[in-house]
């Protein structure tokens, strides 16, 4: 299980020296990777506005992560309950990710792994999308753009999830009817071979209710009966039955495969744009917090650290030691870090800015 930490430190001489020392230490141990995270210079605005935007971005971060989690859960529910053949067809039509499967890896796990690889690659090579999020706009306007994206994602997810739920309910209802009604269920366990008479002029009909005319007198015989009705055999004129029997109707069934395919396509159509918006939101938060913490003119450096939970405590201790000069009153490195707060990698104040990016959204727990 991997973690991404997005940290920010000012570009003063002491901090730059600490950054270089951090990189050398990480290169020696090869336990944590570190790279620059490029964030363009955005419009700062007035201080009061920046404080308000910072608070709004924090709430939006929580909402965005929640929608991404719901999308992931929806994908899992659909994929886990569909058979492998349907899933393979759905993914082939709904996504471009390769699924190099082995007998031990399910299509769902292979697909989620491919999404995680894409996410990690996108973050380490992050480039701000100026066409989608123009840097000339104030921070509040950029936040509004992301809010609209996330709200649309949530609405679309609810709509498709409702469609899937409806199809699932309909299929369950059909399954009950096929096994619970004498008019539609299989008669293999009710009708025996000796119950059927076939000759040149006679044939045997099986009906639930004795409604047919032109039957052989006293040929009706009850084969089975329950609280709702019964099954009877009777002999009738074959010519009359062939000429007058109704044409069979084909029962319509919900498009289950189509709905599954649509929901699998949700990963491509909604999940990835949601993650892209989320990472841009993280960048917005780093920028806003850096200005609030380190002041003007804008002068900071953002770094992306890639580690895992086993090494997170040691990494935090190193960061606390290297950047203690930024604020000696900040929490000491011995306090264990909590990852339960959406968007943040610490429950308490640290000497440096740090945001946690939860890539484990795509884990199979």
């Amino acid at each position: 299980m991997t973690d991404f930490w997005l940290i920010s430190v000012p570009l003063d001489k002491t901090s730059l020296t600490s950054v270089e020392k951090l990189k050398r230490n990480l290169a020696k141990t090869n336990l944590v990777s570190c790279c620059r995270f490029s964030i363009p210079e955005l419009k700062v605005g007035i201080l009061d506005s920046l404080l308000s935007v910072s608070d709004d971005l924090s709430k939006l971060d929580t909402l965005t992560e929640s929608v991404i989690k719901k999308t992931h859960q929806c994908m899992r529910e659909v994929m886990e309950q569909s058979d492998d053949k349907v899933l393979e067809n759905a993914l082939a039509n709904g996504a471009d990710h390769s699924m190099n499967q082995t007998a031990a890896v399910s299509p769902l796990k292979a697909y989620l792994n491919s999404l995680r690889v894409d996410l990690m690659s996108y973050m380490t090579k992050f480039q701000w999308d100026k066409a989608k999020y123009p840097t000339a706009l104030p921070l509040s306007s950029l936040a509004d753009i992301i809010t609209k994206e996330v709200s649309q994602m949530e609405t679309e997810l609810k709509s498709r999830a409702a469609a899937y739920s409806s199809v699932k309910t309909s299929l369950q209802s059909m399954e009950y009817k096929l096994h619970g009604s004498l008019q539609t269920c299989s008669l293999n366990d009710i009708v025996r071979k000796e119950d059927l008479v076939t000759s040149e002029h006679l044939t045997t009909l099986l009906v639930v209710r004795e409604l047919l005319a032109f039957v052989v007198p006293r040929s009706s015989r009850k084969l089975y009966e329950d609280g709702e009705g019964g099954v009877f055999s009777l002999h009738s004129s074959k010519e009359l039955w062939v000429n007058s029997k109704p044409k069979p109707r084909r029962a319509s069934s919900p498009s289950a495969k189509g709905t599954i395919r649509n929901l699998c396509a949700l990963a491509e159509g909604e999940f990835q744009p949601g993650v892209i918006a989320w990472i841009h939101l993280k960048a917005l938060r780093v920028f806003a917090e850096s200005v609030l913490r380190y002041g003007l003119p804008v002068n900071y450096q953002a770094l992306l650290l890639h580690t895992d939970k086993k090494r997170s405590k040691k990494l935090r201790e190193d960061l606390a030691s290297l950047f203690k000069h930024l604020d000696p009153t900040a929490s000491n490195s011995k306090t264990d870090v909590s990852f339960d707060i959406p968007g943040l990698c610490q429950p308490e104040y640290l000497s440096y800015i740090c945001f946690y990016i939860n890539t484990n959204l795509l884990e199979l727990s």
Side-chain angles (χ1 to χ4, degrees):
M1 298 177 68
T2 59
D3 295 333
F4 274 108
W5 295 10
L6 189 54
I7 72 169
S8 169
V9 296
L11 291 177
D12 60 81
K13 186 176 180 179
T14 304
S15 296
L16 287 176
T17 301
S18 297
V19 168
E20 293 304 315
K21 185 176 180 180
L22 173 66
K23 290 180 179 180
R24 289 195 299 269
N25 292 344
L26 296 181
K28 289 179 182 178
T29 60
N30 200 30
L31 300 178
V32 179
S33 64
C34 175
C35 64
R36 288 198 61 176
F37 190 84
S38 179
I39 302 175
E41 188 169 339
L42 304 171
K43 295 190 68 173
V44 177
I46 61 176
L47 181 60
D48 288 345
S49 173
L50 190 59
L51 287 170
S52 177
V53 169
S54 177
D55 185 55
D56 292 340
L57 290 175
S58 177
K59 295 175 182 177
L60 180 57
D61 195 347
T62 302
L63 172 63
T64 305
E65 183 170 339
S66 173
V67 172
I68 292 174
K69 284 182 178 178
K70 290 177 183 177
T71 305
H72 172 236
Q73 291 168 357
C74 184
M75 289 164 52
R76 285 188 56 181
E77 179 184 358
V78 174
M79 292 179 180
E80 287 176 342
Q81 293 188 8
S82 62
D83 60 78
D84 288 349
K85 196 66 179 177
V86 172
L87 178 56
E88 289 172 10
N89 292 337
L91 295 182
N93 286 278
D96 296 327
H97 302 285
S98 60
M99 295 194 305
N100 297 322
Q101 302 174 42
T102 63
V105 180
S106 69
L108 171 59
K109 187 172 183 179
Y111 187 57
L112 293 180
N113 286 340
S114 70
L115 287 179
R116 291 185 72 253
V117 170
D118 285 352
L119 170 60
M120 295 168 65
S121 175
Y122 175 76
M123 292 175 57
T124 54
K125 301 175 182 178
F126 176 77
Q127 293 292 326
W128 184 274
D129 189 344
K130 294 183 179 180
K132 197 171 186 180
Y133 309 103
T135 55
L137 294 177
L139 296 183
S140 58
S141 297
L142 295 175
D144 288 341
I145 293 175
I146 296 178
T147 300
K148 290 178 181 178
E149 284 186 286
V150 174
S151 298
Q152 184 176 353
M153 281 176 52
E154 189 172 28
T155 299
E156 181 68 17
L157 176 63
K158 289 180 179 179
S159 175
R160 296 193 187 189
Y164 172 72
S165 179
S166 177
V167 169
K168 183 179 177 181
T169 301
S170 297
L171 289 175
Q172 290 174 341
S173 177
M174 288 181 60
E175 185 72 13
Y176 170 77
K177 290 180 179 179
L178 288 173
H179 292 86
S181 170
L182 287 174
Q183 298 184 44
T184 57
C185 70
S186 172
L187 300 179
N188 290 336
D189 297 329
I190 297 175
V191 181
R192 299 169 297 175
K193 184 177 180 180
E194 52 268 29
D195 294 324
L196 305 177
V197 175
T198 302
S199 66
E200 183 179 355
H201 299 289
L202 295 177
T203 187
T204 301
L205 308 179
L206 299 175
V207 296
V208 175
R209 293 181 178 87
E210 196 170 348
L211 299 176
L212 295 178
F214 309 107
V215 300
V216 176
R218 293 186 296 276
S219 66
S220 173
R221 189 156 59 92
K222 181 173 68 176
L223 305 179
Y224 178 83
E225 186 176 25
D226 62 12
E228 297 180 355
V231 178
F232 299 83
S233 71
L234 52 88
H235 306 321
S236 173
S237 169
K238 183 181 292 186
E239 288 79 8
L240 286 174
W241 171 245
V242 171
N243 293 332
S244 63
K245 68 179 180 180
K247 294 182 179 180
R249 293 179 299 173
R250 185 176 182 179
S252 59
S253 62
S255 179
K257 291 185 179 180
T259 302
I260 291 172
R261 186 176 294 109
N262 287 338
L263 276 167
C264 290
L266 189 64
E268 185 76 17
E270 302 292 342
F271 189 86
Q272 289 185 340
V275 169
I276 290 174
W278 188 40
I279 302 305
H280 278 79
L281 175 58
K282 295 289 188 183
L284 282 178
R285 295 195 68 188
V286 170
F287 179 83
E289 294 300 322
S290 296
V291 174
L292 289 171
R293 179 83 70 93
Y294 307 136
L296 293 173
V298 177
N299 193 34
Y300 72 96
Q301 179 175 328
L303 298 172
L304 185 68
L305 305 177
H306 181 202
T307 183
D308 58 39
K309 291 191 180 299
K310 293 181 179 179
R311 302 177 178 93
S312 60
K313 184 177 180 180
K314 178 63 169 60
L315 176 60
R316 187 176 179 230
E317 291 174 350
D318 291 343
L319 291 172
S321 175
L322 288 169
F323 299 107
K324 185 177 181 179
H325 65 279
L326 294 176
D327 191 344
T329 65
S331 300
N332 61 56
S333 62
K334 295 181 179 180
T335 305
D336 288 337
V337 62
S338 172
F339 296 100
D340 296 331
I341 301 178
L344 295 175
C345 76
Q346 79 283 341
E348 74 279 14
Y349 176 79
L350 300 175
S351 59
Y352 54 93
I353 294 170
C354 179
F355 293 100
Y356 173 66
I357 301 175
N358 182 16
T359 64
N360 299 321
L361 290 171
L362 296 172
E363 291 284 352
L364 277 174
S365 56

